[in-house]
């Protein structure tokens, strides 16, 4: 059936991303000497404070000294005075009204009691009540659950049940009810978010459509794909799969940001509730076989060097002392779109992200209509290079004008689109849908181009909606 040109609806949109979520670890105040007052809050929408613990079924302070007692300039020692990181987060929010803070519960070390806290109606009620009380007492805007992981996996002492996935949904529903009650009481919304795995088996253990109704967004941990546990050297946080990597399935195809985010989308999570995770750190491999610049080679254990522990490097240190320095050469993978370092004399391979790869991941987030980006963690980017890259990518995209003077002409079996160039845009994407009332995130990507014209084959059906988006 030939498509009548009069049945085409043309729209012009710009790329947009809402969230820049940065984790701040409580232990950053110690050897790292990175304080809450060092956070460039103007570049963030959310700070997730890591971590609170679960004790006797309730949320509990993870480090009482760091959280509520550490003295900052201007604090007082009198009874009742507020101190510590929590107090500084309140000050930061007052200075930056766009900023929201959440208490993140669990993490790798403190996830052992999640299964018990979610297992029964009484346990869920106790934990949900404690979350509501905690955020009210300490001035947070919500709670972020970082359960690593339901059903299986995680640290050695994590309790598991086959029904953990279903129980997590029930727990989130109960917390959501408590937060909605706080909203009715205080006249402002409170947030519930989840830090979730990028691994396919972990994703499949979650009731994603049901969870999507309860949580505000998902922070997908699209990093730690490879490390000292792997069969070969590989990438910590690749954007795309490399057909030439030697890993067995499902690692070969699914251990990358693109595959993980598409898995969530396919399982029913709205795109605007998905934040892709960015790694502000690198992973080092030791005793690496000297071939292929260290990539996909045999090795034994983490590299002996690291910023705070063997095999783990903060980005700021890599940029300062390793990239094309001290025997380390930088390479950039043409398919997975991430950099890596190799030192053949020291037999060390380091997988990391830099401003170039982070910028490409931000472009991916914009192209895919995702909600935004999350990263671990602020202290690892103490000079703010990566965070500034994220902020600028989203800010520039949000400020781009929509393409104007969009026209379409039928030429044989094709439709030819033309539009005016947009200042600041480096590419344009063409999207389509068969439904005039479809939300932008439900459109299908037809093509990307750096030109101001595009041609597609005539689609089937009596009507089609197209839009062109300008991207930075």
């Amino acid at each position: 059936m030939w498509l009548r040109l009069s049945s085409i609806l043309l729209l012009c949109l710009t790329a947009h991303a809402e969230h820049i979520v940065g984790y701040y670890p409580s232990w950053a105040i110690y050897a790292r000497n990175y304080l809450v007052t060092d956070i460039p809050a103007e570049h963030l929408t959310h700070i997730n404070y890591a971590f609170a613990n679960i004790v006797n079924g309730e949320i509990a302070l993870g480090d009482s000294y760091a959280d509520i007692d550490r003295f900052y300039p201007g604090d007082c020692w009198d009874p009742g005075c507020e101190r510590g990181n929590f107090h500084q987060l309140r000050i930061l929010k007052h200075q930056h009204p766009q900023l929201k803070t959440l208490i993140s519960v669990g993490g790798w070390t403190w996830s052992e009691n999640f299964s018990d806290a979610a297992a029964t109606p009484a346990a869920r009620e106790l934990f949900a009540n404690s979350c509501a009380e905690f955020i009210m007492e300490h001035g947070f805007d919500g709670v972020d659950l970082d359960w690593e992981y339901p059903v299986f996996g995680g640290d050695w002492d994590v309790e598991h049940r086959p029904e953990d996935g279903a129980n997590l949904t029930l727990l989130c529903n109960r917390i959501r009810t408590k937060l909605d009650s706080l909203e009715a009481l205080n006249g402002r919304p409170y947030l519930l978010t989840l830090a979730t795995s990028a691994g396919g088996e972990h994703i499949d253990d979650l009731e994603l459509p049901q969870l999507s109704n309860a949580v505000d967004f998902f922070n997908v941990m699209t990093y730690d794909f490879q490390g000292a546990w792997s069969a070969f050297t590989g990438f910590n946080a690749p954007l795309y799969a490399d057909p030439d990597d030697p890993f067995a399935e499902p690692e070969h195809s699914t251990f990358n940001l693109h595959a993980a985010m598409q898995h969530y989308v396919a399982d029913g999570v709205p795109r605007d509730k998905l934040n892709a995770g960015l790694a502000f750190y690198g992973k080092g491999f030791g005793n690496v076989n000297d071939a292929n610049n260290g990539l996909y080679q045999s090795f034994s254990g983490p590299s002996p060097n690291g910023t705070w522990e063997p095999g783990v490097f903060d980005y700021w240190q890599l940029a300062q002392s390793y990239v094309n320095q001290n025997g380390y050469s930088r390479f950039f993978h043409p398919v997975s779109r991430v950099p890596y370092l190799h030192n053949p004399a020291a037999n060390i391979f380091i997988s990391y992200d830099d401003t170039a790869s982070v910028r490409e991941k931000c472009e991916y987030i914009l192209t895919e209509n995702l909600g935004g980006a999350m990263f671990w963690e602020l202290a690892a980017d103490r000079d703010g290079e990566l965070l500034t890259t994220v902020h600028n990518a989203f800010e520039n995209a949000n400020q781009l004008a929509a393409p104007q003077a969009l026209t379409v002409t039928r030429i044989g079996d094709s439709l030819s689109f033309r539009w005016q160039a947009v200042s600041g845009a480096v590419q344009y994407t063409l999207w389509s849908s068969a439904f005039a009332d479809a939300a932008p995130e439900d459109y299908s990507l037809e093509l990307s181009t750096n030109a101001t014209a595009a041609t597609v084959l005539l689609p089937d059906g009596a009507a089609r909606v197209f839009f062109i988006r300008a991207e930075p």
Side-chain angles (χ1 to χ4, degrees):
M1 179 176 180
W2 292 109
L3 181 69
R4 291 180 295 113
L5 293 184
S6 60
S7 66
I8 298 174
L9 177 63
L10 304 177
L11 304 173
C12 298
L13 300 175
T14 57
H16 187 69
E18 292 283 347
H19 310 136
I20 304 177
V21 183
Y23 278 85
Y24 178 84
S26 62
W27 56 89
I29 68 168
Y30 298 115
R32 289 162 174 78
N33 193 30
Y34 185 88
L35 308 181
V36 174
T37 48
D38 295 321
I39 296 174
E42 68 276 9
H43 289 168
L44 294 162
T45 60
H46 303 76
I47 295 174
N48 287 0
Y49 186 90
F51 289 102
N53 200 352
I54 302 174
V55 178
N56 296 323
E58 298 182 287
I59 185 174
L61 294 173
D63 180 340
S64 60
Y65 171 74
D67 299 346
I68 62 173
D69 197 38
R70 187 196 191 278
F71 183 86
Y72 279 80
D75 289 347
C76 75
W77 292 106
D78 296 337
C81 280
E82 294 182 338
R83 292 189 300 275
N85 290 337
F86 288 2
H87 178 49
Q88 293 302 314
L89 287 173
R90 288 184 175 184
I91 294 173
L92 211 58
K93 286 199 299 178
H94 179 74
Q95 297 169 341
H96 302 277
Q98 90 289 349
L99 185 66
K100 304 296 182 185
T101 62
L102 295 90
I103 183 67
S104 189
V105 189
W108 182 261
T109 303
W110 287 335
S111 287
E112 65 266 25
N113 295 320
F114 260 120
S115 185
D116 288 344
T120 67
R124 292 190 287 269
E125 183 73 9
L126 177 65
F127 183 74
N129 280 332
S130 74
C131 287
E133 293 167 1
F134 192 98
I135 64 175
M136 289 295 291
E137 178 182 359
H138 297 295
F140 286 96
D141 298 296
V143 61
D144 172 65
L145 303 184
D146 187 359
W147 182 350
E148 300 184 24
Y149 300 97
V151 183
F152 78 99
D155 208 356
W156 65 271
D157 58 352
V158 175
E159 192 76 23
H160 296 108
R161 291 176 172 85
E163 59 270 23
D164 281 343
N167 288 342
L168 175 59
T169 302
L170 295 172
L171 180 62
C172 288
N173 286 338
R174 201 70 200 125
I175 296 173
R176 179 78 270 159
T177 297
K178 303 297 180 181
L179 298 184
D180 288 346
S181 296
L182 290 182
E183 179 178 359
L185 181 66
N186 297 318
R188 66 182 186 90
Y190 292 86
L191 301 171
L192 173 59
T193 67
L194 296 180
T196 55
S197 174
E201 290 180 304
H202 287 299
I203 298 171
D204 290 339
D205 283 330
L206 303 179
E207 298 179 338
L208 288 176
Q210 296 92 323
L211 282 173
S212 297
N213 293 326
V215 306
D216 290 278
F217 48 79
F218 297 79
N219 297 310
V220 185
M221 295 181 284
T222 43
Y223 38 69
D224 292 339
F225 286 114
Q226 304 296 343
W229 59 88
S230 301
F232 309 95
T233 61
F235 296 127
N236 178 45
L239 176 54
Y240 298 109
D242 178 12
D244 295 330
D245 83 37
F247 296 101
E249 296 292 0
E251 292 180 57
H252 178 74
S253 300
T254 66
F255 276 28
N256 59 85
L257 186 152
H258 168 71
M261 303 313 292
Q262 296 307 314
H263 195 153
Y264 277 89
V265 170
D267 282 3
V269 179
R271 289 176 181 266
D272 62 357
K273 288 194 173 187
L274 287 171
N275 297 331
L278 307 176
F280 283 13
Y281 62 93
K283 289 287 183 67
F285 301 77
N287 300 308
V288 176
N289 180 49
D290 185 13
N292 194 34
N293 298 317
L295 179 60
Y296 305 145
Q297 299 303 302
S298 61
F299 72 99
S300 58
S303 64
N305 51 350
T307 307
W308 308 108
E309 61 183 286
V312 182
F313 299 85
D314 285 358
Y315 169 74
W316 67 265
Q317 189 190 35
L318 290 173
Q320 186 178 96
S321 303
Y322 285 83
V323 179
N324 292 325
Q325 302 173 66
N326 298 314
Y328 290 85
S329 298
R330 177 190 182 273
F331 303 89
F332 195 88
H333 198 271
V335 178
S336 292
R337 308 306 298 166
V338 286
Y340 55 101
L341 303 175
H342 182 226
N343 185 328
N347 296 320
I348 291 174
F349 173 89
I350 301 173
S351 171
Y352 72 112
D353 274 88
D354 62 8
T355 55
S357 62
V358 164
R359 187 177 299 108
E360 287 203 32
K361 290 178 179 180
C362 289
E363 291 170 359
Y364 176 90
I365 290 166
L366 292 165
T367 299
E368 292 291 329
N369 280 323
L370 303 181
M374 169 275 289
F375 62 88
W376 181 270
E377 45 84 12
L378 280 155
D381 183 39
R382 64 182 312 115
D383 299 322
E385 289 185 24
L386 299 183
L387 177 54
T388 299
T389 299
V390 177
H391 174 266
N392 289 347
F394 290 171
E395 185 72 11
N396 291 340
N398 295 343
Q399 291 179 353
L400 286 178
Q404 299 299 308
L406 175 60
T407 62
V408 60
T409 304
R410 176 176 168 178
I411 303 175
D413 294 341
S414 302
L415 296 176
S416 176
F417 297 86
R418 293 187 178 277
W419 57 91
Q420 291 180 350
V422 175
S423 177
V426 299
Q427 71 171 359
Y428 304 89
T429 51
L430 175 66
W431 303 74
S432 73
S433 173
F435 305 100
D437 58 351
E441 61 266 21
D442 294 325
Y443 280 66
S444 298
L445 178 65
E446 295 284 350
L447 55 85
S448 299
T449 178
N450 57 8
T452 56
T455 300
V456 297
L457 291 175
L458 278 167
D460 295 330
R464 200 76 181 170
V465 184
F466 290 89
F467 73 75
I468 299 288
R469 190 171 64 192
E471 298 180 357

